[in-house]
Amino acid sequence: MKIHSFMKRLNATELGLGVTNDTYIAIPNEVNLSDMFINRQALEIFDRKTGTVFTPENSNIMYVQTGQNNQERISGFGRYFEMMDAKVGDEILIERMEDGTGIKYAIDFYHRNAIVFQKNRDYVEALTPEKIQPYAEENDYCLEVVIDGKPETLLVKFVEKRKKKKTSPRETDFYDLRIQGKSILGNYSYQEYIEVIDDGKRLGRMKTYYYSLIETMEGKDDE
């Protein structure tokens, strides 16, 4: 038996909150899912969360190799994300199970209740404003977190409001992340995701994906 498992934590663009309004799962360049899916073939996939079976007749969930910069995605998630009330930082799992009886796909979804930031060139954008709002102090936010096992006070300090690009339709609020009066943004790379998990208020990098392939020998009846 073979079980392919691909987990992705969702960002704003995948949820259709960007300029294009597309809904999909972006596949990182480091992951090759060509053995897990057939290109541009709509899936029949069972949702463990709701018991719904998505088929080519009622949905258009499919793996797509776009041909642009080797970009790959799993598209057609608009209805599903709406059903799940999906938010930035939530987790989606897709599995392919292959045995002697054939191939089956399953999907699962998990709300992680995370406050998520993404680093721009100098500062961060708050991607889950509704989750950080309870910690507002005028233009800033202040919350107790745990970082590297130590309790600390995190100050999310408002810096400026500006457009990300000249062509952006609206301005974005940008913040610095400070602990004990010092910025911690030097610890993170451009476009990296930083999160505070509601369970225990742990602060750290958001692992955006996970892939595994498990192969087992199927048992045989004694003769």
Side-chain angles (χ1 to χ4, degrees):
M1 184 174 187
K2 290 184 180 180
I3 302 176
H4 297 257
S5 299
F6 176 64
M7 179 277 291
K8 187 69 166 47
R9 288 175 181 159
L10 301 169
N11 61 47
T13 305
E14 291 169 314
L15 289 171
L17 304 178
V19 176
T20 63
N21 296 320
D22 290 342
T23 52
Y24 59 92
I25 299 173
I27 301 170
N29 292 333
E30 300 85 358
V31 180
N32 181 2
L33 298 187
S34 60
D35 290 337
M36 187 172 174
F37 303 106
I38 298 174
N39 186 34
R40 296 186 183 276
Q41 178 174 303
L43 296 172
E44 178 171 314
I45 187 166
F46 173 71
D47 174 38
R48 296 184 177 124
K49 196 81 170 178
T50 65
T52 303
V53 178
F54 294 93
T55 69
E57 288 74 33
N58 64 27
S59 83
N60 197 34
I61 297 174
M62 69 172 69
Y63 167 69
V64 178
Q65 296 172 326
T66 66
Q68 299 174 352
N69 301 320
N70 296 318
Q71 186 183 35
E72 299 180 6
R73 61 176 59 181
I74 307 171
S75 64
F77 278 101
R79 176 185 165 203
Y80 186 74
F81 289 163
E82 187 175 342
M83 285 172 61
M84 296 295 111
D85 191 25
K87 306 293 184 186
V88 173
D90 285 348
E91 185 174 293
I92 189 168
L93 172 70
I94 299 179
E95 290 189 319
R96 167 180 160 139
M97 294 149 288
E98 180 179 350
D99 59 20
T101 65
I103 297 169
K104 295 180 180 178
Y105 289 92
I107 190 170
D108 210 342
F109 194 90
Y110 177 57
H111 288 290
R112 297 180 63 247
N113 294 321
I115 298 170
V116 183
F117 306 95
Q118 185 176 25
K119 187 177 179 183
N120 201 272
R121 286 177 176 81
D122 302 307
Y123 302 111
V124 296
E125 174 187 0
L127 299 182
T128 51
E130 72 285 354
K131 293 188 182 297
I132 200 173
Q133 190 56 41
Y135 306 98
E137 294 185 356
E138 296 184 355
N139 292 330
D140 305 329
Y141 303 91
C142 190
L143 59 157
E144 301 303 313
V145 300
V146 174
I147 180 169
D148 297 329
K150 269 183 65 178
E152 297 281 4
T153 299
L154 174 69
L155 175 62
V156 182
K157 181 69 177 175
F158 175 76
V159 177
E160 62 180 349
K161 180 190 286 284
R162 59 173 168 82
K163 291 185 176 183
K164 294 182 189 177
K165 301 177 182 178
K166 290 182 179 179
T167 55
S168 297
R170 58 185 177 274
E171 293 183 323
T172 297
D173 290 340
F174 288 98
Y175 301 87
D176 192 8
L177 301 183
R178 300 179 185 178
I179 288 180
Q180 297 184 11
K182 296 181 180 179
S183 175
I184 63 171
L185 292 185
N187 300 328
Y188 301 97
S189 304
Y190 174 59
Q191 291 192 331
E192 194 165 23
Y193 293 95
I194 307 161
E195 66 179 4
V196 179
I197 304 296
D198 192 51
D199 178 16
K201 292 291 188 291
R202 288 171 288 117
L203 169 68
R205 289 175 174 82
M206 184 174 83
K207 183 176 177 64
T208 57
Y209 73 91
Y210 173 80
Y211 170 75
S212 71
L213 170 59
I214 298 173
E215 297 189 56
T216 60
M217 295 294 292
E218 295 185 50
K220 295 182 179 180
D221 294 330
D222 293 334
E223 295 182 359

